[in-house]
């Protein structure tokens, strides 16, 4: 089935609330990449940022206008007009309109304490701020989602005032009235009770739920809100967010669909849940949590005789769902099994024809198993993955070969200079090329040398740029020295692609990722099919 049949909308705020999390930093390129992925996955709304709070978010909305979202509606986040001022004169509100998004999400005070003590205005003025701003944005053609701050705490203090805030937004034309457990201190029973109470008081708008995980109840609270009648769930991928984080949408989506019977996504999208989770972790440079519900590597890992024996006979004997539903796979911790279904699925999403039982598929599986064991991660490195599959399918010829490289770093404290220089010798169709280049750092120098060497053979490389570079130290499974995984994102102005390299040495890991990056661009544009025997020889070299 490819249709959904629930009225629940998925609202993702990874790029705004998620970015508030400790250790989460998104570049502009990261944000655009994640937004596209969230759209492809099937989020209903994607909150891109707060244009009134920083330049990067303004840039994001400018660039996002050029992207074609297939499914999602983009939302700009901001607050109501200032107290005792006109909404038309409010700069922050003007920036929300300039963002040019179909949706604006407005954060508003709905707690008496916050209005009086933090905002320091009158209760009536706060109601006027809500009414004016919602109305003004609606009049300007925006769908307005009303995020009421501290709904539950506010309601507990003074239910009449919190209700009045929601009614003001309802009358002014907001599409969703979102109840926020901003401090994350509520229990599911309280969420359910207050959601039901507010639902009875609004006339037109639907309710939404936005929760935080301070009590470890972010997802539970959001689900309690949905059960009580909210029709929008807000959260972040992998639960990124301030303090202990937001409602983890990955977990929430799996529960909505598989436990509560609310079909928020088509089945094929649900099967991409694990990929989405790993993708966002990789882009955010976060180590994926093995214990993440549904999608973690340990979520369906079985260790020890009885369980392993039982799941071999009947998987559901020790598994609450079939792991494939969310794109995960069963693991047996002794003698791990690679996720064939995952790999097939990923190859298909890249448009590569890989028959499940074919020798090529087996070869790809074996290589991936081997490389993953070496520390490779292909979830966010589509270009490296595609090269691997192309090699197995015989749709690849080497464009160049490495003869040698040398990278040197010199630091002179007395004269205050640092110098990085890379020399590289490559062979192109039997012809040797030798170049030297300098760079800001060793990888930059190596990148410059590679491209200087190849540009006369492949002028197309002129447009290629390295846009992101991430390094992760990974645990060694063999108990010896730690390895380094390098993740590179490149762009040719039209598209971006990502590659990965792993080695004990950071320069070597960088080289492997760089090599794939150049190779990918060249391979993508050539339609050369060559003899399979050559491919076998080439891919064994890779290992
Ligand atoms: Zn929040």
């Amino acid at each position: 089935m490819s249709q959904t049949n629930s009225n629940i909308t998925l609202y993702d705020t990874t790029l705004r609330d998620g970015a508030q999390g400790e250790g989460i930093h998104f570049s502009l390129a990261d944000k655009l990449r994640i937004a596209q992925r969230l759209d492809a996955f099937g989020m209903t709304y994607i909150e891109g940022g707060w244009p009134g709070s920083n330049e990067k978010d303004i840039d994001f909305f400018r660039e996002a206008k050029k992207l074609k979202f297939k499914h999602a509606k983009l939302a700009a986040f901001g607050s109501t007009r200032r107290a005792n001022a006109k909404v038309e004169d409010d700069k922050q509100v003007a920036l929300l309109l300039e963002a040019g998004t179909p949706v604006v999400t407005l954060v508003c005070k709905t707690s008496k304490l916050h209005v009086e003590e933090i905002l320091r205005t009158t209760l009536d003025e706060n109601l006027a701020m809500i009414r004016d701003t919602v109305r003004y944005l609606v009049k300007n053609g925006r769908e307005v989602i009303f995020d009421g701050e501290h709904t539950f705490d506010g309601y507990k203090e003074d239910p009449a005032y919190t209700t009045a805030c929601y009614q003001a937004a309802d009358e002014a034309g907001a599409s969703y009235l979102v109840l926020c457990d901003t401090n994350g201190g509520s229990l599911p029973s309280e969420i359910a009770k207050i959601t039901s109470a507010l639902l009875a008081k609004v006339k037109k708008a639907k309710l939404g739920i936005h929760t935080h995980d301070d009590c470890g109840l972010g997802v539970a609270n959001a689900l309690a809100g949905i059960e009580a009648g909210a029709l929008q769930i807000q959260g972040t991928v992998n639960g990124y967010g301030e303090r202990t984080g937001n409602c983890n949408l990955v977990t929430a989506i799996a529960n909505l669909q598989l436990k509560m019977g609310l079909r928020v996504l088509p089945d094929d999208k649900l099967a991409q849940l694990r990929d989405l989770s790993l993708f966002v972790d990789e882009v955010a440079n976060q180590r994926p949590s093995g214990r993440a519900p549904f999608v973690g590597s340990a979520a369906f890992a079985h260790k020890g005789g009885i369980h392993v024996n039982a799941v071999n006979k009947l998987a559901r004997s020790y598994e609450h769902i079939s792991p494939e539903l969310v794109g995960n796979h069963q693991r047996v911790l002794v003698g791990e099994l690679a996720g064939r279904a995952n790999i097939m699925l990923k190859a298909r999403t890249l448009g590569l024809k890989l028959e499940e039982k074919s020798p090529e598929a087996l070869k790809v599986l074996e290589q991936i198993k081997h490389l993953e064991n070496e520390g490779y991660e292909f979830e966010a490195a589509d270009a490296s993955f595609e090269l691997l599959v192309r090699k197995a399918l015989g749709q690849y010829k080497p464009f160049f070969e490495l003869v040698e490289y040398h990278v040197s770093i010199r630091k002179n404290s007395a004269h205050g200079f640092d110098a990085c220089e890379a020399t590289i010798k490559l062979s192109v169709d039997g012809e040797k090329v030798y170049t030297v280049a300098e760079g800001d750092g060793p990888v930059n120098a190596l990148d410059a040398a590679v491209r200087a060497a190849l540009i006369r053979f492949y002028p197309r490389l002129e447009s290629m740029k390295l846009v992101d570079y991430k390094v992760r130290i990974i645990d060694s499974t063999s108990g010896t020295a730690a390895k380094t995984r390098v993740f590179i994102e490149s762009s040719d102005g039209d598209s971006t692609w990502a590659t990965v390299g792993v080695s004990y040495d950071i320069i070597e890991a960088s080289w492997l990722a760089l090599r794939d990056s150049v190779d990918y661009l060249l391979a993508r544009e050539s339609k050369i099919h060559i003899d399979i025997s050559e491919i076998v020889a080439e891919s064994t070299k890779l290992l």
Side-chain angles (χ1 to χ4, degrees):
M1 282 211 286
S2 63
Q3 292 298 308
T4 59
N5 60 12
S6 103
N7 297 321
I8 312 287
T9 53
L10 304 172
Y11 185 106
D12 181 279
T13 179
T14 307
L15 300 177
R16 205 268 313 163
D17 229 358
Q20 310 282 350
E22 185 175 14
I24 307 287
H25 304 283
F26 294 130
S27 66
L28 177 58
D30 290 341
K31 292 188 73 161
L32 292 165
R33 210 161 159 230
I34 290 175
Q36 282 172 292
R37 182 64 182 252
L38 293 170
D39 175 47
F41 178 74
M43 294 295 180
T44 335
Y45 294 92
I46 300 170
E47 189 176 283
W50 189 339
S53 78
N54 64 71
E55 283 291 317
K56 198 205 294 173
D57 285 4
I58 293 176
D59 292 345
F60 170 82
F61 288 111
R62 195 191 53 233
E63 293 301 315
K65 275 182 205 161
K66 300 175 196 161
L67 303 174
K68 293 264 177 297
F69 289 107
K70 284 188 222 84
H71 182 89
K73 287 191 254 184
L74 199 60
F77 180 89
S79 64
T80 48
R81 68 157 171 86
R82 289 160 181 274
N84 310 311
K86 280 189 164 165
V87 66
E88 294 82 3
D89 302 334
D90 194 293
K91 260 198 196 144
Q92 190 264 151
V93 174
L95 284 170
L96 283 173
L97 288 177
E98 272 168 40
T101 55
V103 182
V104 171
T105 298
L106 269 190
V107 59
C108 312
K109 301 279 184 210
T110 61
S111 132
K112 181 171 180 276
L113 175 89
H114 278 265
V115 173
E116 290 179 339
E117 303 293 324
I118 310 294
L119 200 60
R120 299 206 171 148
T121 187
T122 63
L123 297 177
D124 281 344
E125 174 61 9
N126 182 56
L127 290 174
M129 286 155 67
I130 291 172
R131 239 179 262 120
D132 288 356
T133 321
V134 173
R135 244 183 228 143
Y136 179 70
L137 292 168
V138 169
K139 201 179 76 195
N140 279 280
R142 301 300 188 269
E143 175 183 347
V144 177
I145 295 181
F146 173 86
D147 265 17
E149 228 190 7
H150 298 104
T151 314
F152 298 95
D153 300 331
Y155 191 92
K156 282 181 243 170
E157 287 155 29
D158 186 340
Y161 186 69
T162 300
T163 305
C165 291
Y166 279 90
Q167 287 172 329
D170 188 29
E171 282 156 21
S175 63
Y176 284 92
L177 307 175
V178 182
L179 284 53
C180 302
D181 188 25
T182 309
N183 296 358
S186 304
L187 290 168
S189 53
E190 296 171 312
I191 300 275
K193 214 173 87 197
I194 294 170
T195 305
S196 302
L198 281 171
L199 185 61
K201 295 289 167 66
V202 300
K203 291 197 180 115
K204 297 177 286 188
K206 298 168 197 155
L207 296 195
I209 182 81
H210 176 117
T211 58
H212 280 259
D213 203 36
D214 297 74
C215 298
L217 295 168
V219 172
N221 281 344
L223 299 182
I226 296 289
E227 276 184 322
L231 289 172
Q232 174 172 103
I233 185 164
Q234 297 197 345
T236 63
V237 174
N238 299 329
Y240 297 172
E242 256 168 306
R243 309 182 305 277
T244 57
N246 283 54
C247 162
N248 183 341
L249 268 190
V250 172
T251 313
I253 287 170
N255 278 305
L256 286 170
Q257 186 127 339
L258 300 173
K259 304 291 172 171
M260 293 166 69
L262 296 165
R263 245 181 97 73
V264 291
L265 286 172
D267 294 343
D268 59 324
K269 297 292 180 191
L270 189 70
Q272 290 170 20
L273 200 59
R274 176 173 151 79
D275 269 4
L276 174 77
S277 164
L278 290 172
F279 172 85
V280 173
D281 271 342
E282 189 71 62
V283 176
N285 208 16
Q286 299 294 303
R287 181 190 294 265
S289 163
R291 290 200 301 276
F294 296 96
V295 297
S297 59
F300 301 95
H302 303 285
K303 199 173 179 175
I306 298 173
H307 288 200
V308 172
N309 199 335
V311 293
N312 274 339
K313 287 183 191 142
L314 185 63
R316 70 174 162 24
S317 63
Y318 282 90
E319 285 172 358
H320 70 114
I321 59 158
S322 164
E324 284 74 24
L325 292 172
V326 290
N328 209 341
H329 56 272
Q330 185 186 85
R331 285 168 67 217
V332 174
L333 290 176
V334 187
E336 202 179 302
L337 304 169
R340 177 195 295 246
N342 253 10
I343 290 161
M344 296 300 148
L345 191 72
K346 195 168 176 71
R348 273 202 296 278
T349 59
L350 292 172
L352 297 164
K353 277 208 185 93
L354 196 59
E355 298 302 330
E356 183 143 2
K357 297 249 159 62
S358 65
E360 292 86 359
L362 281 174
K363 202 160 113 60
V364 170
L365 273 172
E366 246 170 58
Q367 286 187 8
I368 286 183
K369 215 160 109 177
H370 174 81
L371 290 169
E372 283 187 343
N373 218 22
E374 297 289 307
Y376 276 78
E377 256 292 353
F378 290 98
E379 299 297 347
D382 281 352
S384 286
F385 177 82
E386 190 172 328
L387 279 175
L388 201 127
V389 177
R390 280 191 189 285
K391 283 173 184 171
L393 291 174
Q395 298 176 1
Y396 171 84
K397 95 170 185 39
F399 296 91
F400 59 93
E401 267 166 282
L402 176 70
V403 182
E404 63 174 54
Y405 67 71
H406 174 86
V407 177
S408 68
I409 308 164
R410 195 163 6 127
K411 187 173 184 74
N412 187 318
S413 304
H415 297 97
F417 72 84
D418 300 336
C420 285
E421 192 182 270
T423 58
I424 194 157
K425 198 187 278 182
L426 299 173
S427 158
V428 182
D429 285 333
E431 187 181 336
K432 298 271 191 293
V433 260
Y434 183 78
T435 51
V436 184
E438 285 184 335
D440 299 330
V443 176
N444 184 236
L446 192 60
D447 175 46
V450 173
R451 281 187 298 122
L454 294 176
I455 213 126
R456 99 180 134 90
F457 301 95
Y458 307 113
R460 186 71 184 85
L461 293 175
E462 191 90 59
S463 64
M464 179 181 151
K465 271 207 316 270
L466 212 140
V467 292
D468 203 1
Y469 174 81
K470 281 176 183 139
V471 176
R472 173 104 37 92
I473 306 299
I474 46 177
D475 292 334
S476 157
T477 44
S478 57
T480 54
K483 281 188 175 173
T484 303
R485 177 160 68 231
V486 167
F487 178 84
I488 284 178
E489 198 184 328
S490 308
S491 167
D492 63 354
D494 297 325
S495 62
T496 61
W497 61 97
T499 55
V500 61
V502 172
S503 170
Y504 288 109
D505 175 66
I506 186 169
I507 303 288
E508 174 66 6
S510 307
W511 157 253
L512 293 171
L514 263 179
R515 181 200 61 184
D516 268 13
S517 179
V518 173
D519 243 3
Y520 174 80
L521 179 65
L522 299 176
R524 196 181 60 184
E525 289 176 5
S526 79
K527 297 266 181 275
I528 299 161
H529 295 254
I530 55 155
D531 190 279
I532 188 85
S533 60
E534 254 179 87
I535 306 305
V536 175
E538 175 61 21
S539 40
T540 25
K541 253 189 280 166
L542 193 90
L543 305 180

